[in-house]
């Protein structure tokens, strides 16, 4: 996490992030009107209370099953294929 108030512009290792298939999303809330921030907070609170927020679905594969993970990705798996060296079927 970075704050706009930090004195230095953070350096990002873009290629390393790309290799990890990470997504960066930035939001600058200081420019938003107060009523918009309050409305967003209320909507997020409501979604949390009603269990309406979604999460990233993951299919877990062990290293010995890397071919199946690759096939899952090629076939359009819903969510992410995650390789975990500790996972054993």
């Amino acid at each position: 996490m970075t704050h706009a108030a930090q004195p230095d512009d953070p350096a990002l290792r873009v290629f390393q992030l790309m290799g990890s298939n990470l997504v960066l999303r930035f939001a600058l809330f200081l420019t938003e009107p107060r009523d918009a921030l309050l409305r967003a907070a209320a909507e997020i609170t409501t979604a949390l209370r009603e269990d309406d927020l979604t999460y990233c679905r993951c299919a877990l594969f062990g290293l010995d099953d890397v071919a199946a993970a690759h096939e899952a990705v090629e076939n359009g798996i819903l969510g992410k294929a995650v390789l975990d060296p500790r996972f054993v079927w």
Side-chain angles (χ1 to χ4, degrees), residues 1-40:
M1 183 170 102
T2 184
H3 264 234
Q6 288 177 283
D8 297 323
D9 195 12
L12 298 175
R13 297 177 165 209
V14 176
F15 291 121
Q16 184 178 10
L17 296 174
M18 289 169 52
S20 300
N21 198 25
L22 293 177
V23 175
L24 300 176
R25 293 196 171 100
F26 298 96
L28 185 59
F29 297 110
L30 298 175
T31 59
E32 295 298 318
R34 182 170 171 75
D35 62 322
L37 294 174
L38 292 172
R39 189 172 53 252

Side-chain angles (χ1 to χ4, degrees), residues 15-80:
F15 291 121
Q16 184 178 10
L17 296 174
M18 289 169 52
S20 300
N21 198 25
L22 293 177
V23 175
L24 300 176
R25 293 196 171 100
F26 298 96
L28 185 59
F29 297 110
L30 298 175
T31 59
E32 295 298 318
R34 182 170 171 75
D35 62 322
L37 294 174
L38 292 172
R39 189 172 53 252
E43 289 175 8
I44 291 169
T45 300
T46 299
L48 286 169
R49 283 188 184 137
E50 295 176 3
D51 202 25
D52 284 342
L53 296 179
T54 59
Y55 58 93
C56 178
R57 294 182 179 160
C58 296
L60 194 58
F61 296 89
L63 288 180
D64 59 336
D65 212 10
V66 72
H70 189 71
E71 287 177 13
V73 171
E74 286 181 341
N75 292 324
I77 189 173
L78 180 62
K80 303 282 184 186

